[in-house]
Amino acid sequence: MSVTTLLRSLLAAVLMASATACGASSAPDVPVGTPAGPGGTETPRSADPEPVAAVMPDVIGGNAGRAHEQMGSGTDVTFRDASGRGRSVDDPAEWRICGSRPGPNRQITDYPVVLDVVRVSEDCADVVPR
């Protein structure tokens, strides 16, 4: 068997394993809060489930670029200059978070998530109150 044939077979096996792993779900079939075990009642899952609301992480004081990465690309985030000068936030990694909407550990029920930021070299104590 040539190296090329071996590599093709290996690649096909890896792709097949990846495709089948993507279809698997690690979520339990029992809704959260449903008692488990003897005597527990299970409610069947809906074919059209409600969207799950995320919780806003406590990112205040942190770097805006890292916070945006932490929340994931699927989260709609808007950066607002908290100094009141209306500056554009082109590179979030150069900005520090002074506040957020919603606040830390609150459910995200509305988008976009708003992060009030100042330049890394500035202090949040100098922020214009809103």
Side-chain angles (χ1 to χ4, degrees):
M1 183 180 278
S2 72
V3 173
T4 305
T5 305
L6 181 63
L7 288 175
R8 283 184 185 157
S9 299
L10 181 62
L11 180 60
V14 169
L15 289 174
M16 184 62 84
S18 296
T20 55
C22 290
S25 172
S26 62
D29 288 335
V30 178
V32 175
T34 300
T41 58
E42 289 188 22
T43 306
R45 285 189 166 196
S46 169
D48 192 18
E50 291 291 317
V52 176
V55 174
M56 181 68 184
D58 186 359
V59 294
I60 295 176
N63 181 276
R66 283 189 291 258
H68 192 230
E69 289 174 5
Q70 177 184 353
M71 288 186 272
S73 61
T75 304
D76 186 12
V77 177
T78 296
F79 299 97
R80 183 171 55 194
D81 180 7
S83 71
R85 293 184 240 164
R87 297 174 292 186
S88 176
V89 180
D90 295 326
D91 183 4
E94 296 177 6
W95 296 76
R96 169 192 338 261
I97 302 169
C98 296
S100 66
R101 190 189 79 225
N105 305 313
R106 304 275 181 154
Q107 274 199 323
I108 300 172
T109 58
D110 192 25
Y111 289 98
V113 168
V114 178
L115 298 178
D116 293 317
V117 297
V118 294
R119 293 242 181 230
V120 172
S121 61
E122 300 171 348
D123 191 3
C124 287
D126 299 332
V127 169
V128 176
R130 291 185 185 226

